[in-house]
């Protein structure tokens, strides 16, 4: 029997949120056009994954350095506390599992927690059976709902996030806050809340699977806790949503393409250009975008290169006449094929 949605998390959509969403969406468009189907390189994925794991665990007071985390990922032995090494190994496997999980299935959350907390807690992969509070030293910051309420609260939260029409950038942040408020596990709630927001975002736009948002959160760790506290005091997730959207925007603004990858692409482009000196610089820029993303649209090229539509069509016509590219399939569902040997 299908459940009826009863619980809607309280939050307001503010002008600040809309501005942040606009900024993030613009950068998503630019990055998608620039990187396309070739993004990211294996080196960049690995580099950002290391940053993500190190930062998320550092927030939870794991003392291992970035180099030590890198060594563990590379299969090297390091000197360190056994439980901290186990945390890194667990996180590595959990992030590798990300592509196999359904962000909207509660059982997959439990599966991920079981792997994230393997050999660290006795109830890995199961909701807590006791009361739990969030402390800063001896100061109680938040008393979570009773354990008996956790299954119902989590079920309601997953039902909401899987049916809401709220923008994914917002509903992922709301889920993150509500998850931390419920505190469904005896341990590992912080790293799982951040992990699951990444899950939700990556199902909307794949680039979020490898952007190291946790690095920005770590740099503003006290602000992260303050945002949770302000939301607790307000009785809604609005302050936390604004904070996390700011972190997402900061992460994307700080993104830099992998230097080695860009150097290789530049060398290839130079070799092709040497063969066709009659082609203008703007036309080569159009060619470069198409080479990186064969399914790019004329509208996307206009947005990225700040060209008028007639100019883009003119450059494409020249490139086609020189045998540099051909169109495969229809204008709506087809793609560009580079025909010159690079």
């Amino acid at each position: 029997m299908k459940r009826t949605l009863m619980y809607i998390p309280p939050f307001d959509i503010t002008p600040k949120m809309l501005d942040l969403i606009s900024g993030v969406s613009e950068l998503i468009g630019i990055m998608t056009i620039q990187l396309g189907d070739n993004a990211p390189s294996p080196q960049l994925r690995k580099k950002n994954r290391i940053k993500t794991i190190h930062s998320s665990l550092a927030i939870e007071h794991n003392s291992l350095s970035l180099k030590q985390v890198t060594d563990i990922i590379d299969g090297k032995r390091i000197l360190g506390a056994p439980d901290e090494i186990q945390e890194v190994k667990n996180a590595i496997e959990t992030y590798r599992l990300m592509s196999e999980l359904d962000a909207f299935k509660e059982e997959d959350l439990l599966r991920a927690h079981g792997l994230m907390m393997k050999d660290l807690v006795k109830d890995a992969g199961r909701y807590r059976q006791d009361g739990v509070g969030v402390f800063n030293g001896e100061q109680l910051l938040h008393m979570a709902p009773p354990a008996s309420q956790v299954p119902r609260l989590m079920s309601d939260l997953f039902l909401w996030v899987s049916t809401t029409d709220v923008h994914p950038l917002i509903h992922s942040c709301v889920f993150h806050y509500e998850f931390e408020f419920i505190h469904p596990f005896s341990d590992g709630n912080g790293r799982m809340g951040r992990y699951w927001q990444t899950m939700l975002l990556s199902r909307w736009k794949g680039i979020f699977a490898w952007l190291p948002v946790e690095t920005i959160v770590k740099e503003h760790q006290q602000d992260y806790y303050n945002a949770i506290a302000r939301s607790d005091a307000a009785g809604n997730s609005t302050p936390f949503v604004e904070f996390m959207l700011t972190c997402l925007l900061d992460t994307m603004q700080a993104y830099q393409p992998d230097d080695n990858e860009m150097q290789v692409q530049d060398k290839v482009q130079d070799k092709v250009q040497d063969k066709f000196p009659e082609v203008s610089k703007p036309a080569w820029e159009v060619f470069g975008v198409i080479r990186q993303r064969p399914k790019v649209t004329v509208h996307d090229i206009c947005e990225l290169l700040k060209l008028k539509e007639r100019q883009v069509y003119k450059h494409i016509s020249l490139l086609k006449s020189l045998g540099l590219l051909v169109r495969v399939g229809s204008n709506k569902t087809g793609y560009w094929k580079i025909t010159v040997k690079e």
Side-chain angles (χ1 to χ4, degrees):
M1 182 178 178
K2 188 175 182 180
R3 291 184 55 204
T4 302
L5 178 62
M6 298 294 291
Y7 177 69
I8 300 177
F11 64 93
D12 300 312
I13 297 179
T14 65
K16 181 177 180 179
M17 286 185 199
L18 296 177
D19 286 343
L20 290 166
I21 288 173
S22 176
V24 171
S25 298
E26 181 178 353
L27 289 174
I28 288 172
I30 292 173
M31 291 172 67
T32 301
I33 292 171
Q34 288 178 331
L35 302 175
D37 296 335
N38 297 323
S41 68
Q43 294 84 358
L44 184 57
R45 286 199 300 270
K46 180 180 178 180
K47 179 181 177 181
N48 285 350
R49 181 59 51 80
I50 291 170
K51 287 182 179 179
T52 294
I53 291 173
H54 173 256
S55 297
S56 191
L57 294 180
I59 293 171
E60 306 303 325
H61 310 295
N62 186 300
S63 65
L64 296 180
S65 67
L66 185 64
K67 183 180 185 306
Q68 287 175 308
V69 172
T70 303
D71 287 343
I72 294 173
I73 290 178
D74 289 339
K76 299 178 182 178
R77 297 186 65 180
I78 69 161
L79 293 177
D83 59 334
E84 293 191 340
I85 294 174
Q86 186 66 43
E87 284 183 339
V88 174
K89 290 180 177 179
N90 288 356
I92 293 169
E93 294 305 316
T94 308
Y95 276 89
R96 284 174 178 166
L97 186 68
M98 184 175 283
S99 61
E100 301 177 20
L101 300 177
D102 188 331
F104 302 102
K105 285 190 176 180
E106 192 175 355
E107 54 266 37
D108 280 7
L109 171 75
L110 294 171
R111 181 185 174 192
H113 183 264
L115 190 53
M116 184 77 81
M117 302 306 295
K118 179 184 176 183
D119 297 328
L120 296 172
V121 295
K122 293 181 180 179
D123 56 354
R126 300 193 303 275
Y127 291 141
R128 58 182 169 87
Q129 298 297 310
D130 299 306
V132 65
V134 181
F135 291 84
N136 182 11
E138 295 184 357
Q139 180 186 6
L140 177 64
L141 300 179
H142 170 66
M143 178 56 69
S148 61
Q149 298 298 311
V150 168
R152 177 184 62 81
L153 292 172
M154 290 302 298
S155 179
D156 287 347
L157 181 58
F158 267 95
L159 179 59
W160 173 78
V161 80
S162 63
T163 57
T164 184
D165 57 0
V166 173
H167 194 288
L169 284 168
I170 293 179
H171 79 226
S172 66
C173 296
V174 173
F175 183 98
H176 186 167
Y177 170 75
E178 292 285 329
F179 180 93
E180 299 302 340
F181 181 86
I182 298 168
H183 234 62
F185 301 111
S186 63
D187 196 10
N189 293 286
R191 68 199 76 173
M192 283 302 303
R194 293 184 291 273
Y195 177 86
W196 214 257
Q197 179 169 7
T198 298
M199 280 282 298
L200 291 166
L201 286 170
S202 67
R203 295 309 178 264
W204 173 55
K205 298 291 183 181
I207 60 173
F208 287 104
W210 52 270
L211 285 175
V213 179
E214 287 84 349
T215 302
I216 301 296
V217 174
K218 178 178 175 291
E219 291 174 0
H220 301 279
Q221 186 170 342
Q222 190 55 53
D223 294 332
Y224 175 73
Y225 293 134
N226 291 343
I228 293 176
R230 291 200 308 273
S231 286
D232 286 350
N236 65 66
S237 59
T238 303
F240 184 79
V241 173
E242 291 181 345
F243 170 77
M244 284 304 304
L245 288 175
T246 301
C247 287
L248 290 170
L249 182 60
D250 289 349
T251 301
M252 301 187 76
Q253 288 175 335
Y255 166 77
Q256 293 293 330
D258 181 81
D259 290 339
N260 292 331
E261 182 177 11
M262 296 306 295
Q263 289 174 8
V264 170
Q265 290 184 358
D266 289 343
K267 288 180 180 178
V268 170
Q269 185 89 359
D270 290 342
K271 288 176 66 177
V272 176
Q273 288 182 214
D274 289 343
K275 298 179 182 179
F276 299 91
E278 69 271 32
V279 179
S280 67
K281 181 179 177 181
W284 282 124
E285 290 176 347
V286 171
F287 178 80
V289 172
I290 291 174
R291 179 166 54 82
Q292 292 173 3
R293 190 185 176 204
K295 292 185 179 180
V296 70
T297 66
V298 170
H299 174 75
D300 289 338
I301 297 173
C302 292
E303 288 290 315
L304 179 61
L305 300 180
K306 307 303 180 185
L307 296 174
K308 294 182 179 180
E309 191 172 282
R310 60 178 178 80
Q311 293 174 310
V312 174
Y313 277 116
K314 178 182 178 181
H315 296 320
I316 289 177
S317 178
L318 173 62
L319 294 170
K320 288 170 65 178
S321 69
L322 293 173
L324 290 167
L325 58 86
V326 295
R327 182 71 182 178
V328 178
S330 68
N331 289 333
K332 185 175 182 179
T333 61
Y335 64 94
W336 295 104
K337 181 178 179 181
I338 303 298
T339 54
V340 66
K341 292 184 179 180
E342 302 176 356

